[in-house]
């Protein structure tokens, strides 16, 4: 798919504080990962409704839902540690499912070497059995944002384990990588992938935030990661690979607006979740004022799915 030049995008972003991407027509279809390849697949992805979601701590989830409004919150981020019975964070996962939301689950493991040596194979199979029993689409990620935590080779091996033992028709498996690496550490970003993994993954996602501080916001908006990732995937030979945003946030309403527009208008994007944590937990949260309004505008857009809480 033809892309806007990344350097041009960066320049526009720095100059205006807003990333503009052509708008896709609104349709009623639900996004389906990897429906095929080529122009037909791209057209189908463009027409699909986008999944807009949110990440917030369990003890604040109810409050955050009241603040943002439940209508259009179609996905919930869940952070889990792999367990032998496969039911890590089952309460939160089932709350999401019961609310009509797609769980976007990030799993870590007690010991990566044990995982790659097969010591958790039964745990992974139990996880697949449990998630399949929900009879609804979920996404699964192994060790989100691995840069600085894991050796790339260990991450790739662990990712293959999740693909081999967890992936199923309803369980879509893909990474959530460090989006900022696409700014100036692209080789490091690529080291956590391989041609084989890119072929097998149902989606490739990143977390993306605005640089700077609330007092001095930077010019690198969270939206930038979407065209950068899409272009990178094009260059790897995967122009139709579905894209996800596991977390996004920024310091200004315009940053949240730009991120929402990038999610809504980029054909390959499947889901995009705003990070809406507790004051003190993140310099970007909670969503308030015009930042909250722009997130609400994103999930109210006709290009977004609105099947939950409406």
């Amino acid at each position: 798919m033809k892309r806007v030049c990344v350097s041009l995008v960066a320049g526009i972003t720095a100059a205006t504080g807003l990333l503009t991407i052509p708008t896709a027509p609104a349709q009623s279809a639900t996004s389906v990962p990897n429906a095929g390849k080529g122009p037909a697949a791209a057209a189908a992805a463009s027409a699909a409704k986008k999944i807009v979601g949110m990440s917030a701590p369990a003890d604040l989830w109810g409050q955050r839902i009241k603040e943002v409004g439940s209508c259009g919150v179609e996905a919930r981020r869940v952070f889990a540690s792999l367990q032998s019975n496969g039911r890590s964070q089952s309460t939160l996962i089932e709350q999401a499912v019961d609310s009509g939301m797609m769980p976007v689950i990030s799993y870590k493991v007690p010991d990566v070497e044990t995982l790659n040596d097969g010591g958790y194979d039964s745990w992974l199979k139990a996880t697949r059995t449990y998630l399949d029993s929900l009879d609804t689409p979920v996404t699964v990620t192994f060790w989100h944002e691995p840069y600085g935590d894991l050796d790339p080779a260990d991450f790739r091996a662990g990712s293959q384990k999740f693909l081999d033992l967890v992936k199923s028709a309803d369980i879509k498996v893909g990474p959530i990588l460090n989006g900022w690496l696409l700014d100036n550490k692209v080789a490091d970003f690529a080291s956590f992938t391989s041609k084989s993994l890119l072929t097998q993954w149902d989606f490739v996602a990143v977390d993306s935030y605005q640089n700077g501080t609330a007092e001095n916001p930077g010019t690198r908006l969270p939206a930038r990661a979407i065209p950068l990732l899409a272009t990178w995937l094009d260059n790897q030979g995967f122009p139709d690979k579905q894209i996800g945003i596991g977390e996004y946030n920024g310091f200004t309403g315009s940053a949240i607006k730009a991120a929402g527009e990038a999610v809504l208008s980029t054909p390959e994007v499947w889901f995009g979740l705003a990070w809406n944590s507790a004051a003190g937990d993140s310099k970007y949260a909670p969503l308030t004022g015009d930042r909250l309004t722009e997130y609400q505008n994103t999930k109210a857009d006709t290009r977004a799915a609105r099947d939950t809480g409406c």
Side-chain angles (χ1 to χ4, degrees), residues 14-28:
T16 68
L18 180 64
L19 178 65
T20 302
I21 298 176
T23 300
Q27 298 290 337
S28 60

Side-chain angles (χ1 to χ4, degrees), residues 12-75:
I12 293 172
T13 299
T16 68
L18 180 64
L19 178 65
T20 302
I21 298 176
T23 300
Q27 298 290 337
S28 60
T30 300
S31 297
V32 179
N34 300 332
K37 294 183 177 297
S46 178
K49 295 282 189 176
K50 306 304 182 181
I51 303 298
V52 177
M54 187 172 72
S55 176
D59 61 345
L60 289 175
W61 182 259
Q63 177 183 338
R64 293 289 180 258
I65 284 291
K66 288 180 181 178
E67 291 166 353
V68 305
S70 60
C71 183
V73 179
E74 300 287 324

Side-chain angles (χ1 to χ4, degrees), residues 2-310:
K2 193 172 183 179
R3 303 285 173 199
V4 176
C5 176
V6 171
S7 62
L8 176 60
V9 170
I12 293 172
T13 299
T16 68
L18 180 64
L19 178 65
T20 302
I21 298 176
T23 300
Q27 298 290 337
S28 60
T30 300
S31 297
V32 179
N34 300 332
K37 294 183 177 297
S46 178
K49 295 282 189 176
K50 306 304 182 181
I51 303 298
V52 177
M54 187 172 72
S55 176
D59 61 345
L60 289 175
W61 182 259
Q63 177 183 338
R64 293 289 180 258
I65 284 291
K66 288 180 181 178
E67 291 166 353
V68 305
S70 60
C71 183
V73 179
E74 300 287 324
R76 179 176 180 177
R77 187 81 180 265
V78 176
F79 299 94
S81 180
L82 198 70
Q83 293 179 352
S84 60
N85 64 2
R87 298 178 64 88
S88 178
Q89 295 286 39
S90 60
T91 298
L92 300 187
I93 292 169
E94 290 170 29
Q95 285 176 356
V97 171
D98 290 344
S99 298
M101 301 175 188
M102 179 177 72
V104 177
I105 312 167
S106 298
Y107 286 98
K108 290 189 176 181
V109 299
D111 183 76
V112 174
E113 184 176 355
T114 300
L115 170 73
N116 292 336
D117 286 344
Y120 299 139
D121 283 6
S122 63
W123 297 24
L124 293 170
K125 292 175 183 177
T127 299
R128 180 180 61 194
T129 297
Y130 166 65
L131 294 177
D132 267 336
S133 75
L134 301 173
D135 195 28
T136 193
V138 303
T139 77
V140 164
T141 287
F142 165 60
W143 209 289
H144 69 280
E145 293 193 290
Y147 181 83
D149 289 344
L150 298 184
D151 178 82
D154 288 337
F155 176 80
R156 296 194 304 269
S159 295
Q160 188 62 58
K161 279 287 187 183
F162 271 72
L163 284 163
D164 291 342
L165 299 177
V166 180
K167 182 175 175 176
S168 74
D170 277 340
I171 304 171
K172 305 305 181 184
V173 175
I176 300 179
L177 302 173
N178 308 72
W180 66 269
L181 292 175
L182 291 167
D183 292 332
N184 50 29
K185 291 182 176 290
V186 178
D188 289 320
F189 182 91
S191 70
F192 290 96
T193 74
S194 69
K195 190 71 73 173
S196 175
L197 289 172
L198 288 168
T199 300
Q200 297 173 78
W201 278 327
D202 295 298
F203 63 90
V204 176
V206 294
D207 288 345
S208 185
Y209 288 84
Q210 185 176 9
N211 68 325
T213 65
E215 294 75 24
N216 186 26
T219 58
R220 291 178 176 173
L221 303 186
R224 74 194 188 280
I226 293 177
L228 289 174
L229 176 57
T231 298
W232 184 82
L233 286 167
D234 285 355
N235 293 337
Q236 308 314 304
F238 296 90
D240 302 320
K241 183 66 65 176
Q242 292 285 277
I243 290 172
I245 301 297
E247 299 169 4
Y248 72 86
N249 208 317
F251 300 112
T252 65
S254 61
I256 302 301
K257 181 178 181 178
E261 180 58 29
V263 167
L264 294 169
S265 61
T266 303
E268 299 91 334
V269 170
W270 179 21
F271 60 83
L273 283 69
W275 175 250
N276 196 9
S277 188
D281 288 351
S282 167
K283 61 183 179 179
Y284 303 95
L287 292 174
T288 57
D290 59 348
R291 293 165 58 248
L292 172 59
T293 298
E294 293 299 347
Y295 172 70
Q296 292 170 325
N297 290 342
T298 295
K299 65 188 184 70
D301 194 282
T302 57
R303 293 167 290 173
R306 292 171 60 79
D307 303 319
T308 299
C310 301

